Amino acid sequence: RSSDLNRAMYFACDNILWLGKSGLAPQTDQDKWSQRSFRYYLFALIMNLSRDAYEIKVLMEREACGQRHKSPLVFEQESEEGAGGSAEPLVQRLRIQLLLLCHVPGQIGRA
């Protein structure tokens, strides 16, 4: 996956940056490697978030249509892990996470 490649590039750039900061490679341009490291981290984060948003969208559409089948991404992930079963626990977990994301601090107990 693209996000895995970006994460690997982030770690490579971060290690080069560490070498420069620790003094093992004093000629390292720390600003350049810091920017590259951040850029790859940001790309990996965006790719993961977009994949998660797509997964939530597919699950919500299927839930709205009354279909309780797994989305392609869930199926791929579980087939890689060798797991089986329904997608219902995942749907419930996603609902809880969405509720937690929408929670506004300081509003507990107010009606």
Side-chain angles (χ1 to χ4, degrees):
R1 287 187 229 159
S2 178
S3 63
D4 293 335
L5 177 62
N6 280 311
R7 192 172 341 148
M9 292 300 295
Y10 157 72
F11 285 125
C13 292
D14 197 50
N15 284 331
I16 293 171
L17 180 62
W18 176 82
L19 286 172
K21 286 185 176 184
S22 65
L24 295 173
Q27 70 278 10
T28 303
D29 185 357
Q30 292 183 16
D31 288 333
K32 176 177 86 172
W33 288 104
S34 177
Q35 287 179 1
R36 286 183 181 179
S37 174
F38 175 74
R39 187 175 297 133
Y40 284 119
Y41 178 78
L42 182 64
F43 288 159
L45 182 65
I46 290 170
M47 295 299 292
N48 284 328
L49 288 174
S50 62
R51 185 191 69 229
D52 291 345
Y54 172 75
E55 181 68 19
I56 290 171
K57 177 184 167 276
V58 168
L59 287 173
M60 290 176 73
E61 286 174 352
R62 288 189 177 174
E63 182 73 18
C65 293
Q67 298 174 350
R68 303 222 181 247
H69 301 289
K70 295 179 189 173
S71 71
L73 293 177
V74 172
F75 180 73
E76 286 175 12
Q77 188 175 26
E78 287 185 353
S79 65
E80 288 175 2
E81 298 170 355
S86 71
E88 191 61 32
L90 177 63
V91 172
Q92 187 64 26
R93 191 176 81 206
L94 289 172
R95 281 184 182 155
I96 292 170
Q97 288 176 346
L98 284 172
L99 287 173
L100 289 173
L101 285 173
C102 295
H103 172 72
V104 178
Q107 298 297 320
I108 297 175
R110 294 184 186 173

